[in-house]
């Protein structure tokens, strides 16, 4: 009965009162959620831009370029977010002094971007390697398909073949991986926010778990699960638009 009473309050925007901070949980979330969403958005932009670029270059050029990108992405995939955070802090914040080592900034949008640059890269590093490898594999599979061979035999320019017939047919797999990437960002932000002392819901969840602030932990967990479900729903809705072979959850056997 207490749970259903709490759930009914949640539907009205009331998440209860924080035991540790002695204030409404909804107020805590309203103050910290924008920082976390900004960090996730910046990391996602880095992952998509760099991951797609590396995966496409590796698949198209092959040879030494492909080998170098594979080695680089293997290193990226094998580097946990908290390790990347420590390395980036030591090099770019402590030694070079290019970026701040902690905080989310309080001088406006530009200051926030500057403060969140290192955390977003630390959060994105592992996922860049994963997306690059998935993109490379999907494009290599598309390069071996019959319709690409036919397009080349008809004299279609190679750049157009890559753009319209290879990369486009790989977007279904890339989009599915993108949903997993966003979900991973929601979880890994806890480690990065703690390492950089960013006042987002990730660090709030870590502190609330330590102090056994159950109302706050419940609210943040509910938000993470809700965002996870929304992201996967969006991916399922977009997948048939990106890949016409996918209709109502089934993939046609025709290429």
């Amino acid at each position: 009965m207490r749970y259903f009473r709490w759930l009914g309050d949640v539907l009205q925007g009331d998440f209860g009162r924080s035991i540790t901070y002695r204030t409404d949980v909804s107020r805590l979330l309203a103050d910290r959620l924008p920082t976390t969403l900004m960090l996730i958005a910046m990391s996602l932009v880095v992952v998509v831009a760099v991951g797609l670029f590396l995966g496409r270059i590796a698949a198209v050029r092959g040879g030494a370029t492909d080998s170098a990108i594979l080695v680089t992405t293997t290193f990226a995939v094998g580097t946990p977010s908290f390790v990347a955070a420590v390395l980036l802090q030591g090099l770019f914040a402590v030694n070079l002094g290019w970026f701040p080592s902690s905080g989310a900034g309080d001088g406006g949008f530009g200051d926030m971007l500057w403060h969140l640059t290192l955390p977003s890269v630390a959060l994105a590093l592992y996922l860049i390697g994963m997306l690059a490898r998935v993109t490379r594999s999907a494009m290599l599979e598309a390069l071996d398909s019959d319709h690409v061979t036919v397009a080349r035999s008809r004299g279609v320019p190679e750049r157009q073949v890559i753009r319209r017939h290879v990369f486009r047919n790989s977007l279904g797999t890339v989009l599915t991986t993108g949903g997993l990437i966003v979900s991973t960002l929601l979880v890994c932000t806890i480690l990065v926010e703690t390492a950089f002392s960013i006042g987002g819901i990730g660090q709030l969840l870590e502190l609330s778990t330590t102090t056994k602030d159950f109302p706050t932990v419940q609210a943040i967990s509910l938000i993470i699960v809700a965002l996870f479900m929304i992201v996967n729903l969006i991916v399922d809705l977009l997948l048939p638009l990106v890949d016409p072979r996918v209709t109502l959850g089934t993939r046609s056997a025709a290429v």
Side-chain angles (χ1 to χ4, degrees), residues 57-122:
I57 293 298
V60 173
R61 295 190 178 182
T65 301
D66 185 22
S67 300
I69 292 177
L70 280 177
V71 171
T72 304
T73 54
T74 300
F75 173 79
V77 169
T79 305
S81 298
F82 64 91
V83 175
V86 173
L87 294 176
L88 291 173
Q89 276 181 324
L91 178 60
F92 294 102
V94 177
N95 293 336
L96 299 178
W98 292 354
F99 298 96
S101 60
S102 62
D106 54 4
F109 182 74
D111 189 47
M112 177 179 287
L113 288 178
W114 185 46
H115 276 77
L116 294 182
T117 298
L118 288 185
S120 63
V121 174

Side-chain angles (χ1 to χ4, degrees), residues 242-254:
V242 173
D243 190 349
R245 296 171 295 177
V246 179
T247 55
L248 299 179
T250 60
R251 181 182 291 272
S252 174

Side-chain angles (χ1 to χ4, degrees), residues 178-180 182-183 186 226-236:
L180 177 62
V182 176
S183 303
L186 292 172
L227 290 175
F228 179 86
M229 294 175 61
I230 291 173
V231 168
N232 281 275
L233 177 61
I234 293 175
V235 170
D236 288 340

Side-chain angles (χ1 to χ4, degrees), residues 6-164:
W6 172 82
L7 189 60
D9 292 337
V10 167
L11 295 177
Q12 301 177 24
D14 183 7
F15 291 94
R17 189 171 180 84
S18 171
I19 299 174
T20 303
Y21 297 94
R22 305 294 181 181
T23 186
D24 291 339
V25 175
S26 57
R27 179 175 300 178
L28 288 175
L29 297 178
D31 292 339
R32 296 171 179 259
L33 187 58
T35 301
T36 298
L37 294 179
M38 184 66 179
L39 175 61
I40 292 176
M42 291 179 62
S43 301
L44 186 61
V45 170
V46 174
V47 170
V48 172
V50 180
L52 290 181
F53 174 77
L54 292 179
R56 181 169 179 169
I57 293 298
V60 173
R61 295 190 178 182
T65 301
D66 185 22
S67 300
I69 292 177
L70 280 177
V71 171
T72 304
T73 54
T74 300
F75 173 79
V77 169
T79 305
S81 298
F82 64 91
V83 175
V86 173
L87 294 176
L88 291 173
Q89 276 181 324
L91 178 60
F92 294 102
V94 177
N95 293 336
L96 299 178
W98 292 354
F99 298 96
S101 60
S102 62
D106 54 4
F109 182 74
D111 189 47
M112 177 179 287
L113 288 178
W114 185 46
H115 276 77
L116 294 182
T117 298
L118 288 185
S120 63
V121 174
L123 188 58
L125 186 61
Y126 161 76
L127 297 172
I128 287 174
M130 184 176 72
L131 182 61
R133 296 172 75 91
V134 169
T135 304
R136 172 186 176 274
S137 299
M139 291 187 65
L140 287 177
E141 182 180 354
L143 281 169
D144 293 333
S145 58
D146 294 336
H147 69 279
V148 173
T149 303
V150 172
R152 286 172 170 169
S153 65
R154 290 180 176 178
V156 178
E158 185 67 16
R159 182 173 298 180
Q160 188 173 349
V161 170
I162 297 298
R163 184 179 70 253
R164 297 187 57 183

